[in-house]
Amino acid sequence: MNKKLPNVYANPIAKKIANVQETYYGSFRGEKPKSTMDVGNMIDSIFSSRNFVYKSNVFIETVNESFECILVGKTPSSLLTMDGKVIPISSILRIEKK
């Protein structure tokens, strides 16, 4: 098993490599958005409660708007409402059960 293998071609690098990026530090002093983990836990508690059979009245605050709706279903990435709206979970800032 001591066979002579062919040489591997390696292209020589003739130029200087400068791929070190500059470091940037920024500070945001505005209001921090609520954690999506809190929203995820709240959604799970709404759908796993004993009162949820088919639908649940909720108040949802998203990045763009705030509204009341009736939730009827959930996919891994969005919520489904009674009136056919699909709400991405990633855009939800707050959700409250009514």
Side-chain angles (χ1 to χ4, degrees):
M1 290 230 153
N2 205 357
K3 297 179 183 178
K4 183 168 175 139
L5 298 174
N7 292 333
V8 177
Y9 176 74
N11 192 12
I13 300 172
K15 61 182 181 177
K16 182 180 177 185
I17 298 175
N19 60 358
V20 179
Q21 298 177 351
E22 293 181 16
T23 304
Y24 175 77
Y25 176 76
S27 177
F28 178 70
R29 296 189 186 264
E31 180 181 334
K32 293 182 181 178
K34 293 189 178 187
S35 171
T36 56
M37 191 64 169
D38 297 334
V39 172
N41 288 339
M42 189 63 189
I43 291 170
D44 289 340
S45 68
I46 289 171
F47 283 100
S48 65
S49 71
R50 292 181 177 228
N51 298 333
F52 181 80
V53 176
Y54 172 68
K55 56 187 178 178
S56 181
N57 293 331
V58 294
F59 174 79
I60 297 178
E61 181 180 340
T62 63
V63 176
N64 300 326
E65 61 183 331
S66 300
F67 54 91
E68 288 187 25
C69 64
I70 300 173
L71 289 181
V72 294
K74 174 179 102 167
T75 66
S77 62
S78 59
L79 298 176
L80 309 171
T81 65
M82 181 73 108
D83 56 347
K85 240 180 158 178
V86 178
I87 306 164
I89 293 176
S90 60
S91 70
I92 297 174
L93 299 175
R94 188 179 67 160
I95 184 167
E96 294 177 2
K97 188 171 181 178
K98 291 287 180 180

